[in-house]
Amino acid sequence: LTARRSSEDWAALREEAILHLQFSMHLMWFQNEAGHGASFEQPEHCGSWQTPYWPALQQVGFEKTGFDMCVYGLVDEHGAPLKKSGGIAANRPLDDLRLRCTCQQEHGVVEGSVSVGPDKGKRRSEVAARYPEQLCMAWARLIFRAVR
């Protein structure tokens, strides 16, 4: 994939990603200013957390919670857990999501293509980008608790 894109293509993709990030961060800022909850998910160690936008949100009370998705049921097509770290920033407590891997079995890798099943031929990174249902339910419980 990398070899097929020119430096101009990568620059355009980065610019688009920055615009999306700015928009998302502005939404979170406005939600916070209005007294509402807001949250934002990104891979735990991605570049979004290194931009100037994230410290600005930290200054008004947003905190990042890290977690491992294998704890929430992320597995590969063979049932092996996938240790993909996520991060959610929010202006409400998310400590209940801060779960780290305690798996005793070997993890699958988020590389290459899926070899069997309904996602056969798709990139593992694309399939692993889907939120596990257990994570969605835990996140939804926290949101529900915050608005009650």
Side-chain angles (χ1 to χ4, degrees):
L1 181 65
T2 304
R4 292 185 232 148
R5 295 189 190 241
S6 69
S7 58
E8 293 83 16
D9 290 341
W10 283 113
L13 286 172
R14 180 168 172 70
E15 184 63 31
E16 184 178 329
I18 293 291
L19 289 173
H20 177 77
L21 180 63
Q22 287 174 330
F23 177 73
S24 298
M25 296 293 177
H26 281 111
L27 284 178
M28 289 175 50
W29 180 274
F30 289 127
Q31 284 290 98
N32 188 65
E33 287 294 304
H36 302 299
S39 59
F40 175 78
E41 188 277 334
Q42 290 282 285
E44 186 173 22
H45 303 291
C46 77
S48 300
W49 305 112
Q50 309 308 316
T51 67
Y53 313 112
W54 172 235
L57 287 173
Q58 285 178 298
Q59 290 177 352
V60 296
F62 281 83
E63 293 183 16
K64 182 174 93 168
T65 299
F67 54 90
D68 294 323
M69 293 212 193
C70 59
V71 176
Y72 290 102
L74 184 64
V75 296
D76 68 11
E77 70 271 26
H78 304 290
L82 294 173
K83 189 176 178 183
K84 180 180 172 191
S85 296
I88 298 178
N91 60 351
R92 302 290 193 268
L94 294 179
D95 292 336
D96 291 355
L97 291 180
R98 188 175 285 129
L99 298 178
R100 292 299 183 179
C101 176
T102 58
C103 298
Q104 298 300 313
Q105 67 188 90
E106 190 172 326
H107 288 76
V109 293
V110 186
E111 297 176 347
S113 298
V114 175
S115 60
V116 297
D119 292 318
K120 183 176 181 176
K122 291 183 180 176
R123 293 185 329 260
R124 279 203 177 93
S125 59
E126 175 187 348
V127 174
R130 299 177 191 147
Y131 297 138
E133 184 177 342
Q134 292 174 37
L135 173 61
C136 295
M137 295 303 291
W139 197 355
R141 278 192 297 277
L142 291 173
I143 292 169
F144 182 73
R145 190 181 316 152
V147 298
R148 288 192 329 178

